[in-house]
Amino acid sequence: MLVGLENEGAMGDDLQKAAGVGAFTLHYQPMIDLRRGCVSSFEALLRWEVTSGSFVSPAVFVPLLERQGLIADVGAWVLQEATRQLRRWFSVGGASGRIAVNVSPKQFERHDFLATVESALLASRIEPGQLELEITEGLLMGDASQTIAHLKALRALGVRIAIDDFGTGYSSLAYLHRFDVNVLKIDRSFINAIGYDVAAEKIITAIIGLAQHLGLEVVAEGVETEAQLQFLQQAGCDMVQGFLLGKPRDDWDLREVHARNWGIF
Ligand code: C2E
Ligand code: MG
Ligand code: MG
């Protein structure tokens, strides 16, 4: 269960303690490749359990971590743990595929961010191409020289870059041309509107077309119904992610994941 933050001040203190004692965990949500009908990637989602079974949403506490200057440490832990999990899955289930990690702008812009990524890759012994960093449009619009340098260095290393929540930020097409990104993740708000809002459907179709023309992969986030899945399949979307396919969980049995018929050929 996800809960809200009633008192930011008190929560801030708790958050500081949580960061100190490592009270965070990661849950993983599969992304399904629609053409191959299999899981191609997992997204790591940060969890903070405040009381047994109650989690505060990262949408609420990540901004707080940023304000408290804790995001770099927690973010570095997320990178280490998520890449380590992919390595663990390799050893039990002969897993292939990737791990996707959300990176906040404050973390990405830090001078030591590249070193943090390199150290996670080194420790986990996964290939750079198996790590996908999810960033938001706002970061690219900032146009800071540190951001540009990091993006270039990460791509030179072979790390993949995804634009999260695509379509909700500035959606400037100039940066797609300028930066070497790999994936567009269509925001859940558009997927939600499938079947109700023709304009949203047209936007989804246009984003998929744009991605195809630019040679980018496209992922639909927040797929909850069969009707949404069907629309996305027909529109030529590469990958889907959402409660219909699988909710975020703390662990997955990779043998079961690979044996399962995802039923979406
Ligand atoms: P996001 O990266 O866009 O992640 C997708 C969010 O949608 C997740 O919420 C996920 O649990 C939820 N979701 C997935 N499928 C469905 C669905 O079918 N329906 C609905 N209603 N929701 C769905 P969550 O885990 O609460 O994360 C919220 C946001 O917090 C993330 O959005 C991401 O921006 C941020 N976040 C999560 N983990 C991290 C992290 O490790 N570092 C940073 N910097 N941010 C993180
Ligand atoms: Mg994400
Ligand atoms: Mg998103």
Side-chain angles (χ1 to χ4, degrees), residues 43 102 134 164 185:
E43 178 176 2
N102 293 283
E134 296 195 2
D164 208 350
K185 295 191 79 175

Side-chain angles (χ1 to χ4, degrees), residues 211-232:
Q212 284 169 346
H213 280 108
L214 293 172
L216 308 178
E217 281 178 26
V218 62
V219 182
E221 305 190 280
V223 179
E224 293 183 351
T225 68
E226 290 286 349
Q228 292 166 355
L229 179 61
Q230 217 163 49
F231 176 91
L232 292 161

Side-chain angles (χ1 to χ4, degrees), residues 5-237:
L5 269 188
E6 266 143 39
N7 178 342
E8 182 174 319
M11 280 287 180
D13 294 342
D14 290 348
L15 203 52
Q16 196 122 28
K17 277 184 216 138
V21 299
F24 296 106
T25 51
L26 292 181
H27 281 189
Y28 300 90
Q29 187 179 31
M31 290 183 222
I32 287 92
D33 182 317
L34 284 176
R35 287 190 191 79
R36 294 190 295 136
C38 64
V39 171
S40 57
S41 181
F42 284 92
E43 178 176 2
L45 294 157
L46 187 56
R47 294 289 177 261
W48 175 31
E49 195 169 7
V50 278
T51 54
S52 178
S54 302
F55 296 92
V56 180
S57 168
V60 176
F61 73 80
V62 165
L64 205 52
L65 284 175
E66 289 180 338
R67 284 200 287 281
Q68 297 211 332
L70 296 168
I71 193 66
D73 287 347
V74 177
W77 174 81
V78 172
L79 270 164
Q80 287 279 347
E81 181 55 27
T83 51
R84 219 183 286 148
Q85 178 62 274
L86 190 64
R87 164 57 57 193
R88 278 197 289 267
W89 280 332
F90 280 136
S91 41
V92 292
S96 54
R98 301 191 286 263
I99 193 83
V101 173
N102 293 283
V103 179
S104 90
K106 287 243 159 48
Q107 185 188 356
F108 196 93
E109 285 161 2
R110 279 179 60 102
H111 68 280
D112 58 356
F113 180 64
L114 208 57
T116 308
V117 172
E118 283 174 326
S119 114
L121 289 173
L122 207 66
S124 61
R125 292 176 289 114
I126 69 165
E127 296 294 323
Q130 290 173 313
L131 175 64
E132 194 161 273
L133 300 181
E134 296 195 2
I135 60 175
T136 51
E137 295 171 277
L139 177 72
L140 298 178
M141 294 304 291
D143 210 20
S145 57
Q146 184 72 277
T147 303
I148 297 167
H150 280 169
L151 272 171
K152 285 195 173 145
L154 287 163
R155 289 299 299 125
L157 204 64
V159 172
R160 291 164 56 94
I161 305 289
I163 309 295
D164 208 350
D165 308 335
F166 187 77
T168 57
Y170 303 88
S171 298
S172 159
L173 301 182
Y175 73 69
L176 290 182
H177 172 65
R178 202 160 151 226
F179 301 115
D180 181 18
V181 303
N182 305 87
V183 182
L184 301 184
K185 295 191 79 175
I186 308 174
D187 189 66
R188 176 152 54 96
S189 56
F190 296 109
I191 311 305
N192 243 329
I194 293 173
Y196 303 99
D197 183 343
V198 177
E201 291 178 355
K202 285 185 177 166
I203 291 172
I204 293 171
T205 310
I207 295 175
I208 294 171
L210 175 74
Q212 284 169 346
H213 280 108
L214 293 172
L216 308 178
E217 281 178 26
V218 62
V219 182
E221 305 190 280
V223 179
E224 293 183 351
T225 68
E226 290 286 349
Q228 292 166 355
L229 179 61
Q230 217 163 49
F231 176 91
L232 292 161
Q233 256 185 308
Q234 276 161 14
C237 190

